Amino acid sequence: MSTDTLGRLNAAQRAAVAFGAPDGEGRWRSGPLLVIAGAGTGKTTTLAARVAHLCLNGVAPERILLLTFTRLAAREMTQRAEQSVAAARQAQSAGARTGAAARVDWAGTFHALAARFLRHYHQSLGLEESFSVLDRGDSADMLDVERQALGYHKSRERFPQKATCLDIYSRTVNAQCPLAETLAAHFPHFVQWHDELKALFAAYVERKLAQQTLDYDDLLLYWYYLVEDERIARDISAHFDHILVDEYQDTNRLQADIIRRLRPDGAGLTVVGDDAQSIYGFRAAAVENILDFPTQFPGATVIKLEDNYRSTQEILDTSNALMLDATRSYQKALRAARGAGQRPRLVTVEDEQEEAHYLCEQVLERREQGVRLWHQAVLFRNSRHTLRLEVELGKRDIPYVKYGGLKYLETAHVKDVLAVLNWAENPRNELAAFRVLQLLEGIGPATARKACDALAAAAGDFAALDAVAGLPAGGRAGWDATSKLMQDLVSAPWPGQMERVLAWYQPLLERRYDQAFPREGDIEQLAQLANDYPSRRAFLTELTLDPPSASGDLAGPPHIDEDYLVLSTVHSAKGQEWDTVYLQHFSDGTFPNEFAAGDPHKLEEERRLAYVALTRAKNRLVLVNPLKYFVPQQPKLGDRHVYGSKSRFLTERVLATLEQGHWSSRQDEQPAWRRDLRVDLKDRARAMWR
């Protein structure tokens, strides 16, 4: 890599980027490398620079495998790498070694790349190359079909709902542990249903295999099955000189096992992450993967990135103090490149209503100081915590966006259109078939079942739909139009297919849904998105594995200046940053969550979650602690509030980094002498025992 590019990196980043040495053939070789990248330390810059360094030192871009957790991260890193390579080559004298652009084709999410490998090796797994990928909603629906077929929905005792069944199945698969262990550790109230759940999951697997459909978890599981065979593992591994993994702290056991089978000796393996930001235990992420990396790959080199380019030192002092109490971690002392800044504040308020008043006052005050609303964020542990705040924001006419809620691909009208395309891609996909056919007037499950049976007998030839009998009066025209559409989609080229589907769907949209106009806008956006993909299969696969968020999730109409405050869960805030961050409900029962009490592993994840929240702030950090909480489960007689207690994370070491105070909207009602009076209760109480 050019000395100019390396010169823009700090010493630790340069060491990570240039780790290794050229072999006798001039290609760059290295052993296993773990980069511990603290919050705001330039993780993406470092990983992208390493890709560029490899390309500039004899490694062909097509021999680099880059695994990430979002498609956006993969795109950003590869684009940065390509730009760095282009700039370095342009700077070389007399146009020497110009070469082609460093395009890393094997870059993407674990699930997306798993789908590519499975389609390539589909015969070894007994799969058809055209298998469909189910999103989470479709997976839950398919589980529910089997749940009802087995009669579990009629159980006199509470049997888990479809979404819970899917959570149990997913955690068991990703953690690679027995079902009994999953139930005992995470779903103890359903332990008695062990045998029934096992039968349900077995039926679910059989239905997926029969329909040539895979869910999210199958993609990783089947990739693992592939590399269990040493010949296939060697074949895949031989295609790559270097494997780089982003956000390694978020990998689950299945993902880590795949990496170990591809690179048992760790040669050319680079993983980047931060154990202090491992917060996805509920998705079966295992922080042990990054903590135990040096043990799993003996001789591994560990490089820590501790120079922080996001936050001021006062904010980092609080974050560092919080993690010093962690029971097991890679200890880091984050250093700010931007100076000291203001001390974070811990503000106590009387109750949740006062918290809402205080947050609104602070948001508007910061706005008057020149910090726009969208550079401020209120972070929360649970979405129910923002109820009073959202009401108060509405009263004060402060626009906001809340991250969470229904995703774009979860809306019914979008799922309708995607079902048509999924059925055309895989005629065995009965879930898609039932959804499409039951859009038609008068068509129910029985007729849809006939159609699927006829299609199966005709080996997936959609012309078989023309012969289905017993259609309701007046339903033949819609049925014939659907049959023609499906036959056309099989034979027509991909460009233009979305227009055919939308023309067919338009009258159904108007008949089935209220407020069809805004839904039309969503469908048009989907059609525009489809133009970016070379084939129907690529479009469906990528859209399912890395879906876009809702485009219309503003909680209210934005103002003319299009400025809005951000409300977000801490989990959704990971990877984001704002000038000013307010953290709601920083007290025991929220940080840490009440369900983590008594479980050391969960408590440590809660500590890491708090760390993620603190390190989102660039210049101003405010923790708010209400003394009282409204509890709807309390009896209606008397005060339906409980008193909170100080978060156990606020140790003396952490408190020493904070500016503490109390706020009340009723301060102006108090006489001046009372507002200014301060009694040192701590000193008086201690004096009794001196």
Side-chain angles (χ1 to χ4, degrees):
M1 193 168 188
S2 70
T3 55
D4 180 59
T5 303
L6 284 173
R8 292 197 291 269
L9 305 175
N10 62 45
Q13 290 173 330
R14 285 197 299 273
V17 168
F19 178 74
D23 61 11
E25 300 176 357
R27 289 183 298 185
W28 204 262
R29 301 293 186 185
S30 69
L33 171 64
L34 168 61
V35 180
I36 298 296
T41 57
K43 170 182 69 68
T44 301
T45 296
T46 303
L47 198 53
R50 179 153 178 79
V51 173
H53 178 271
L54 294 174
C55 293
L56 288 167
N57 284 275
V59 179
E62 63 271 16
R63 295 190 62 79
I64 296 174
L65 176 63
L66 175 60
L67 291 159
T68 67
F69 277 83
T70 67
R71 185 173 54 189
L72 181 62
R75 185 187 307 124
E76 181 180 0
M77 276 184 273
T78 53
Q79 286 177 348
R80 287 196 195 184
E82 290 169 12
Q83 291 167 359
S84 296
V85 171
R89 287 175 174 167
Q90 187 176 6
Q92 291 170 347
S93 61
R97 290 181 61 193
T98 52
R103 180 175 177 81
V104 182
D105 291 325
W106 288 94
T109 66
F110 271 91
H111 291 86
L113 289 172
R116 287 181 67 179
F117 285 121
L118 295 184
R119 293 199 193 279
H120 183 75
Y121 293 97
H122 67 96
Q123 290 180 327
S124 299
L125 290 168
L127 290 172
E128 294 179 4
E129 190 178 3
S130 61
F131 66 80
S132 301
V133 181
L134 303 174
D135 63 20
R136 298 289 293 181
D138 288 342
S139 299
D141 288 342
M142 186 177 286
L143 259 174
D144 200 38
V145 170
E146 294 299 334
R147 180 175 171 273
Q148 296 192 42
L150 291 169
Y152 296 157
H153 64 299
K154 297 179 180 178
S155 301
R156 298 183 65 180
E157 297 180 37
R158 182 170 64 109
F159 190 83
Q161 295 289 328
K162 62 180 182 180
T164 306
C165 289
L166 184 60
D167 287 343
I168 296 170
Y169 174 86
S170 183
R171 182 178 284 272
T172 303
V173 169
N174 286 295
Q176 284 292 281
C177 65
L179 174 59
E181 185 177 318
T182 299
L183 293 174
H186 305 286
F187 303 90
H189 42 301
F190 294 129
V191 167
Q192 73 273 24
W193 296 110
H194 173 274
D195 294 345
E196 290 80 0
L197 285 167
K198 196 169 185 179
L200 171 63
F201 297 151
Y204 172 58
V205 168
E206 289 299 328
R207 180 175 286 270
K208 286 186 295 181
L209 291 173
Q211 297 185 15
Q212 290 290 302
T213 55
L214 277 65
D215 61 25
Y216 277 13
D217 305 312
D218 292 332
L219 293 171
L220 296 182
L221 184 63
Y222 285 21
W223 189 8
Y224 174 75
Y225 289 161
L226 268 179
V227 297
E228 269 193 321
D229 187 294
E230 291 185 5
R231 295 166 297 177
I232 295 180
R234 285 196 302 269
D235 188 54
I236 295 176
S237 182
H239 281 79
F240 305 105
D241 294 329
H242 289 266
I243 298 177
L244 298 90
V245 187
D246 188 24
E247 303 284 14
Y248 196 68
Q249 80 280 351
D250 292 335
T251 55
N252 57 41
R253 181 176 174 181
L254 202 52
Q255 290 162 324
D257 284 346
I258 291 169
I259 298 300
R260 283 195 291 270
R261 288 186 178 277
L262 290 177
R263 279 294 192 271
D265 60 353
L269 176 62
T270 299
V271 304
V272 181
D274 183 6
D275 57 295
Q277 297 187 67
S278 178
I279 60 174
Y280 295 113
F282 63 93
R283 296 181 187 166
V287 68
E288 292 78 15
N289 290 339
I290 194 168
L291 292 175
D292 296 337
F293 187 86
T295 304
Q296 295 166 351
F297 296 95
T301 298
V302 180
I303 296 175
K304 296 181 184 178
L305 306 184
E306 298 175 294
D307 291 325
N308 180 284
Y309 299 94
R310 175 189 299 152
S311 306
T312 57
Q313 190 60 53
E314 294 282 7
I315 292 173
L316 296 182
D317 286 345
T318 303
S319 307
N320 290 335
L322 175 69
M323 290 310 297
L324 280 174
D325 294 322
T327 56
R328 186 185 178 202
S329 68
Y330 292 98
Q331 286 297 330
K332 300 176 289 297
L334 296 182
R335 302 177 294 266
R338 301 181 49 242
Q342 290 182 292
R343 296 186 87 185
R345 296 189 66 196
L346 173 63
V347 178
T348 303
V349 295
E350 183 177 349
D351 53 29
E352 293 168 291
Q353 189 61 51
E354 286 289 272
E355 180 181 55
H357 286 304
Y358 172 72
L359 289 171
C360 288
E361 293 283 346
Q362 291 299 301
V363 165
L364 292 175
E365 183 178 321
R366 287 294 280 171
R367 184 171 181 268
E368 290 302 312
Q369 294 170 356
V371 180
R372 299 194 66 172
L373 293 179
W374 59 21
H375 292 152
Q376 304 182 58
V378 178
L379 305 185
F380 47 89
R381 184 68 179 82
N382 191 298
S383 60
R384 69 174 182 271
H385 294 159
T386 65
L387 176 60
R388 286 174 176 77
L389 175 60
E390 291 183 61
V391 171
E392 191 63 27
L393 290 170
K395 288 180 181 177
R396 300 186 186 220
D397 201 25
I398 301 174
Y400 66 93
V401 60
K402 183 176 180 181
Y403 287 95
L406 195 64
K407 302 296 184 183
Y408 180 66
L409 294 188
E410 294 172 356
T411 55
H413 50 291
V414 172
K415 288 180 73 70
D416 290 344
V417 172
L418 292 179
V420 178
L421 297 175
N422 272 305
W423 193 22
E425 186 65 26
N426 178 10
R428 291 193 188 185
N429 189 336
E430 292 188 359
L431 205 64
F434 268 65
R435 186 177 191 101
V436 172
L437 294 176
Q438 290 184 95
L439 292 173
L440 306 179
E441 192 167 5
I443 303 301
T447 307
R449 177 76 268 163
K450 285 183 187 178
C452 289
D453 291 343
L455 198 60
D461 184 355
F462 282 106
L465 296 178
D466 294 335
V468 173
L471 298 178
R476 173 55 68 179
W479 185 274
D480 290 344
T482 304
S483 176
K484 184 178 186 307
L485 172 69
M486 300 311 298
Q487 294 175 58
D488 288 346
L489 293 180
V490 170
S491 58
W494 166 238
Q497 286 193 22
M498 281 295 291
E499 286 74 10
R500 294 173 187 246
V501 174
L502 298 189
W504 168 86
Y505 184 63
Q506 180 68 35
L508 298 176
L509 176 68
E510 295 174 353
R511 178 172 60 83
R512 292 180 62 87
Y513 300 111
D514 296 330
Q515 299 178 328
F517 181 72
R519 295 176 187 265
E520 288 177 12
D522 288 342
I523 300 299
E524 289 172 2
Q525 285 188 351
L526 191 67
Q528 289 296 319
L529 187 62
N531 293 331
D532 296 337
Y533 293 86
S535 67
R536 182 176 60 213
R537 179 177 298 167
F539 173 60
L540 292 171
T541 300
E542 289 296 318
L543 205 61
T544 303
L545 296 180
D546 195 6
S549 298
S551 58
D553 56 0
L554 284 176
H559 287 190
I560 295 175
D561 59 6
E562 295 185 347
D563 199 9
Y564 50 81
L565 177 69
V566 174
L567 309 183
S568 174
T569 63
V570 180
H571 283 98
S572 297
K574 186 171 177 289
Q576 306 298 316
E577 60 182 39
W578 293 273
D579 175 275
T580 304
V581 168
Y582 311 93
L583 189 55
Q584 274 193 302
H585 282 37
F586 203 84
S587 58
D588 241 37
T590 306
F591 289 98
N593 184 276
E594 59 187 312
F595 299 110
D599 187 324
H601 296 291
K602 290 181 179 179
L603 282 174
E604 285 306 301
E605 179 158 322
E606 290 292 310
R607 181 190 307 281
R608 297 192 293 267
L609 188 68
Y611 172 83
V612 167
L614 301 183
T615 54
R616 300 310 94 196
K618 296 168 69 176
N619 295 312
R620 197 80 179 100
L621 173 64
V622 181
L623 315 180
V624 188
N625 175 30
L627 294 176
K628 291 196 303 182
Y629 297 88
F630 177 76
V631 182
Q633 293 91 343
Q634 290 289 97
K636 292 185 178 181
L637 296 176
D639 188 4
R640 298 177 66 182
H641 289 78
V642 297
Y643 283 86
S645 57
K646 184 180 73 174
S647 169
R648 68 191 71 186
F649 296 151
L650 292 174
T651 61
E652 290 298 325
R653 182 178 7 228
V654 174
L655 286 172
T657 69
L658 300 172
E659 174 190 315
Q660 301 180 54
H662 177 79
W663 185 91
S664 172
S665 62
R666 294 180 287 275
Q667 285 179 346
D668 292 338
E669 301 171 9
Q670 301 174 0
W673 67 267
R674 187 174 171 187
R675 290 200 306 270
D676 299 334
L677 180 64
R678 293 293 181 271
V679 178
D680 193 341
L681 297 178
K682 291 182 180 179
D683 188 62
R684 295 288 298 276
R686 289 168 180 152
M688 292 178 62
W689 311 106
R690 287 175 184 158

